[in-house]
Short mmCIF file of all heavy atoms in Angstrom, two decimals:
data_model
loop_
_atom_site.label_atom_id
_atom_site.label_comp_id
_atom_site.label_asym_id
_atom_site.label_seq_id
_atom_site.Cartn_x
_atom_site.Cartn_y
_atom_site.Cartn_z
N PRO A 146 -119.00 56.28 113.71
CA PRO A 146 -118.98 56.72 115.10
C PRO A 146 -119.59 58.07 115.34
O PRO A 146 -120.19 58.31 116.43
CB PRO A 146 -117.47 56.71 115.44
CG PRO A 146 -116.89 55.69 114.52
CD PRO A 146 -117.66 55.84 113.23
N GLN A 147 -119.52 58.97 114.38
CA GLN A 147 -120.04 60.32 114.57
C GLN A 147 -121.51 60.46 114.20
O GLN A 147 -122.07 61.57 114.27
CB GLN A 147 -119.21 61.35 113.78
CG GLN A 147 -119.37 61.25 112.25
CD GLN A 147 -118.45 60.25 111.61
OE1 GLN A 147 -117.93 59.35 112.27
NE2 GLN A 147 -118.25 60.38 110.31
N TRP A 148 -122.16 59.39 113.83
CA TRP A 148 -123.54 59.46 113.28
C TRP A 148 -124.52 60.14 114.23
O TRP A 148 -125.26 61.04 113.82
CB TRP A 148 -124.00 58.03 112.96
CG TRP A 148 -125.33 57.92 112.27
CD1 TRP A 148 -125.66 58.40 111.05
CD2 TRP A 148 -126.49 57.25 112.77
NE1 TRP A 148 -126.94 58.07 110.73
CE2 TRP A 148 -127.48 57.35 111.76
CE3 TRP A 148 -126.77 56.54 113.91
CZ2 TRP A 148 -128.76 56.80 111.91
CZ3 TRP A 148 -128.05 55.96 114.06
CH2 TRP A 148 -129.03 56.09 113.06
N LEU A 149 -124.57 59.76 115.46
CA LEU A 149 -125.50 60.35 116.42
C LEU A 149 -125.05 61.74 116.83
O LEU A 149 -125.89 62.64 116.99
CB LEU A 149 -125.66 59.46 117.64
CG LEU A 149 -126.33 58.09 117.38
CD1 LEU A 149 -126.36 57.26 118.65
CD2 LEU A 149 -127.75 58.30 116.85
N ARG A 150 -123.77 61.94 117.00
CA ARG A 150 -123.26 63.26 117.38
C ARG A 150 -123.62 64.29 116.33
O ARG A 150 -124.06 65.40 116.66
CB ARG A 150 -121.75 63.20 117.60
CG ARG A 150 -121.12 64.57 117.85
CD ARG A 150 -119.66 64.46 118.22
NE ARG A 150 -118.90 63.70 117.25
CZ ARG A 150 -118.45 64.21 116.08
NH1 ARG A 150 -118.73 65.46 115.75
NH2 ARG A 150 -117.73 63.47 115.27
N VAL A 151 -123.44 63.96 115.06
CA VAL A 151 -123.78 64.89 113.99
C VAL A 151 -125.27 65.21 114.00
O VAL A 151 -125.66 66.36 113.79
CB VAL A 151 -123.35 64.32 112.62
CG1 VAL A 151 -123.93 65.13 111.48
CG2 VAL A 151 -121.84 64.25 112.51
N GLN A 152 -126.10 64.20 114.22
CA GLN A 152 -127.54 64.44 114.25
C GLN A 152 -127.91 65.44 115.37
O GLN A 152 -128.74 66.33 115.17
CB GLN A 152 -128.30 63.13 114.43
CG GLN A 152 -128.29 62.27 113.21
CD GLN A 152 -129.29 61.14 113.26
OE1 GLN A 152 -130.48 61.34 113.49
NE2 GLN A 152 -128.82 59.92 113.07
N LEU A 153 -127.33 65.24 116.53
CA LEU A 153 -127.67 66.14 117.63
C LEU A 153 -127.15 67.56 117.37
O LEU A 153 -127.79 68.54 117.76
CB LEU A 153 -127.09 65.60 118.95
CG LEU A 153 -127.76 64.35 119.50
CD1 LEU A 153 -127.19 64.02 120.89
CD2 LEU A 153 -129.28 64.50 119.58
N GLU A 154 -126.03 67.67 116.68
CA GLU A 154 -125.53 68.98 116.29
C GLU A 154 -126.49 69.64 115.30
O GLU A 154 -126.81 70.83 115.43
CB GLU A 154 -124.14 68.86 115.68
CG GLU A 154 -123.08 68.46 116.71
CD GLU A 154 -121.73 68.13 116.03
OE1 GLU A 154 -121.67 68.14 114.80
OE2 GLU A 154 -120.77 67.88 116.79
N LEU A 155 -126.96 68.90 114.31
CA LEU A 155 -127.90 69.42 113.34
C LEU A 155 -129.27 69.73 113.99
O LEU A 155 -129.98 70.65 113.55
CB LEU A 155 -128.09 68.44 112.20
CG LEU A 155 -126.87 68.24 111.29
CD1 LEU A 155 -127.10 67.04 110.36
CD2 LEU A 155 -126.59 69.48 110.47
N ALA A 156 -129.61 68.96 115.00
CA ALA A 156 -130.91 69.13 115.66
C ALA A 156 -131.04 70.49 116.34
O ALA A 156 -132.15 70.92 116.64
CB ALA A 156 -131.12 68.03 116.70
N GLY A 157 -129.93 71.18 116.57
CA GLY A 157 -130.01 72.50 117.16
C GLY A 157 -130.75 73.50 116.27
O GLY A 157 -131.36 74.45 116.78
N GLU A 158 -130.73 73.24 114.95
CA GLU A 158 -131.36 74.18 114.01
C GLU A 158 -132.37 73.54 113.10
O GLU A 158 -132.99 74.22 112.28
CB GLU A 158 -130.29 74.88 113.18
CG GLU A 158 -129.31 75.72 113.98
CD GLU A 158 -128.29 76.42 113.11
OE1 GLU A 158 -128.32 76.19 111.85
OE2 GLU A 158 -127.46 77.19 113.63
N HIS A 159 -132.56 72.23 113.23
CA HIS A 159 -133.48 71.52 112.32
C HIS A 159 -134.36 70.53 113.10
O HIS A 159 -133.92 69.98 114.11
CB HIS A 159 -132.69 70.80 111.24
CG HIS A 159 -131.76 71.67 110.45
ND1 HIS A 159 -130.45 71.91 110.85
CD2 HIS A 159 -131.97 72.39 109.34
CE1 HIS A 159 -129.88 72.72 109.98
NE2 HIS A 159 -130.79 73.03 109.06
N ASP A 160 -135.56 70.33 112.59
CA ASP A 160 -136.49 69.38 113.20
C ASP A 160 -136.39 67.99 112.62
O ASP A 160 -136.78 67.01 113.25
CB ASP A 160 -137.93 69.90 113.05
CG ASP A 160 -138.12 71.26 113.69
OD1 ASP A 160 -137.69 71.43 114.83
OD2 ASP A 160 -138.72 72.12 113.04
N VAL A 161 -135.87 67.90 111.40
CA VAL A 161 -135.69 66.60 110.76
C VAL A 161 -134.50 66.72 109.81
O VAL A 161 -134.32 67.74 109.14
CB VAL A 161 -136.97 66.16 110.01
CG1 VAL A 161 -137.39 67.18 108.96
CG2 VAL A 161 -136.77 64.79 109.35
N VAL A 162 -133.68 65.69 109.79
CA VAL A 162 -132.50 65.68 108.91
C VAL A 162 -132.45 64.34 108.16
O VAL A 162 -132.78 63.29 108.71
CB VAL A 162 -131.20 65.89 109.70
CG1 VAL A 162 -131.20 67.26 110.34
CG2 VAL A 162 -131.00 64.83 110.76
N ALA A 163 -132.04 64.42 106.92
CA ALA A 163 -131.90 63.22 106.08
C ALA A 163 -130.50 63.10 105.55
O ALA A 163 -129.95 64.09 105.01
CB ALA A 163 -132.90 63.26 104.93
N GLY A 164 -129.89 61.95 105.69
CA GLY A 164 -128.53 61.74 105.19
C GLY A 164 -128.53 60.87 103.95
O GLY A 164 -129.58 60.61 103.34
N ILE A 165 -127.36 60.40 103.59
CA ILE A 165 -127.19 59.60 102.40
C ILE A 165 -126.73 58.21 102.76
O ILE A 165 -126.39 57.93 103.92
CB ILE A 165 -126.22 60.24 101.39
CG1 ILE A 165 -124.84 60.40 102.01
CG2 ILE A 165 -126.75 61.57 100.91
CD1 ILE A 165 -123.77 60.82 101.04
N VAL A 166 -126.68 57.34 101.78
CA VAL A 166 -126.17 55.97 101.96
C VAL A 166 -124.97 55.74 101.04
O VAL A 166 -124.91 56.26 99.91
CB VAL A 166 -127.22 54.90 101.69
CG1 VAL A 166 -128.36 55.02 102.70
CG2 VAL A 166 -127.77 54.99 100.27
N ASP A 167 -124.01 55.00 101.54
CA ASP A 167 -122.88 54.53 100.77
C ASP A 167 -122.97 53.01 100.66
O ASP A 167 -123.35 52.35 101.65
CB ASP A 167 -121.55 54.90 101.41
CG ASP A 167 -121.30 56.38 101.47
OD1 ASP A 167 -121.60 57.08 100.48
OD2 ASP A 167 -120.83 56.88 102.53
N LEU A 168 -122.62 52.43 99.55
CA LEU A 168 -122.56 50.97 99.43
C LEU A 168 -121.30 50.45 100.11
O LEU A 168 -120.26 51.07 100.06
CB LEU A 168 -122.62 50.54 97.97
CG LEU A 168 -123.89 50.89 97.19
CD1 LEU A 168 -123.86 50.23 95.81
CD2 LEU A 168 -125.15 50.49 97.94
N ASP A 169 -121.42 49.27 100.68
CA ASP A 169 -120.31 48.61 101.36
C ASP A 169 -119.28 48.20 100.30
O ASP A 169 -119.52 47.28 99.52
CB ASP A 169 -120.82 47.40 102.11
CG ASP A 169 -119.75 46.72 102.94
OD1 ASP A 169 -118.56 47.13 102.83
OD2 ASP A 169 -120.08 45.80 103.69
N GLN A 170 -118.13 48.85 100.29
CA GLN A 170 -117.12 48.55 99.27
C GLN A 170 -116.53 47.16 99.43
O GLN A 170 -116.02 46.58 98.47
CB GLN A 170 -116.00 49.59 99.33
CG GLN A 170 -116.47 51.00 98.94
CD GLN A 170 -115.32 51.93 98.70
OE1 GLN A 170 -114.39 51.64 97.95
NE2 GLN A 170 -115.36 53.09 99.34
N LEU A 171 -116.60 46.60 100.65
CA LEU A 171 -116.04 45.27 100.86
C LEU A 171 -116.88 44.16 100.23
O LEU A 171 -116.36 43.10 99.91
CB LEU A 171 -115.87 45.01 102.36
CG LEU A 171 -114.88 45.91 103.10
CD1 LEU A 171 -114.85 45.55 104.57
CD2 LEU A 171 -113.47 45.80 102.48
N THR A 172 -118.17 44.44 100.06
CA THR A 172 -119.05 43.38 99.52
C THR A 172 -119.73 43.79 98.21
O THR A 172 -120.58 43.06 97.70
CB THR A 172 -120.14 43.06 100.58
OG1 THR A 172 -120.88 44.25 100.89
CG2 THR A 172 -119.53 42.50 101.84
N THR A 173 -119.36 44.95 97.68
CA THR A 173 -119.94 45.44 96.44
C THR A 173 -118.92 45.31 95.32
O THR A 173 -117.77 45.74 95.47
CB THR A 173 -120.37 46.91 96.57
OG1 THR A 173 -121.28 47.04 97.66
CG2 THR A 173 -121.05 47.39 95.29
N SER A 174 -119.32 44.76 94.19
CA SER A 174 -118.40 44.65 93.06
C SER A 174 -118.05 46.03 92.54
O SER A 174 -118.87 46.97 92.59
CB SER A 174 -119.04 43.82 91.92
OG SER A 174 -120.11 44.55 91.35
N PRO A 175 -116.82 46.22 92.03
CA PRO A 175 -116.43 47.52 91.50
C PRO A 175 -117.39 48.06 90.42
O PRO A 175 -117.74 49.25 90.44
CB PRO A 175 -115.03 47.27 90.91
CG PRO A 175 -114.49 46.17 91.80
CD PRO A 175 -115.67 45.28 92.06
#
């Protein structure tokens, strides 16, 4: 839910931001 809000907050001081990915624990084997 906070994905776009965080980007706009970071956009105040940055022109481009890169995040990370998490694997879906519900469909990924341990």
Side-chain angles (χ1 to χ4, degrees):
Q147 70 274 18
W148 185 62
L149 294 176
R150 174 174 53 80
V151 169
Q152 288 193 54
L153 290 186
E154 291 171 355
L155 293 169
E158 298 181 357
H159 305 90
D160 300 313
V161 58
V162 295
I165 60 171
V166 295
D167 295 318
L168 297 187
D169 185 354
Q170 294 192 51
L171 296 178
T172 58
T173 304
S174 68

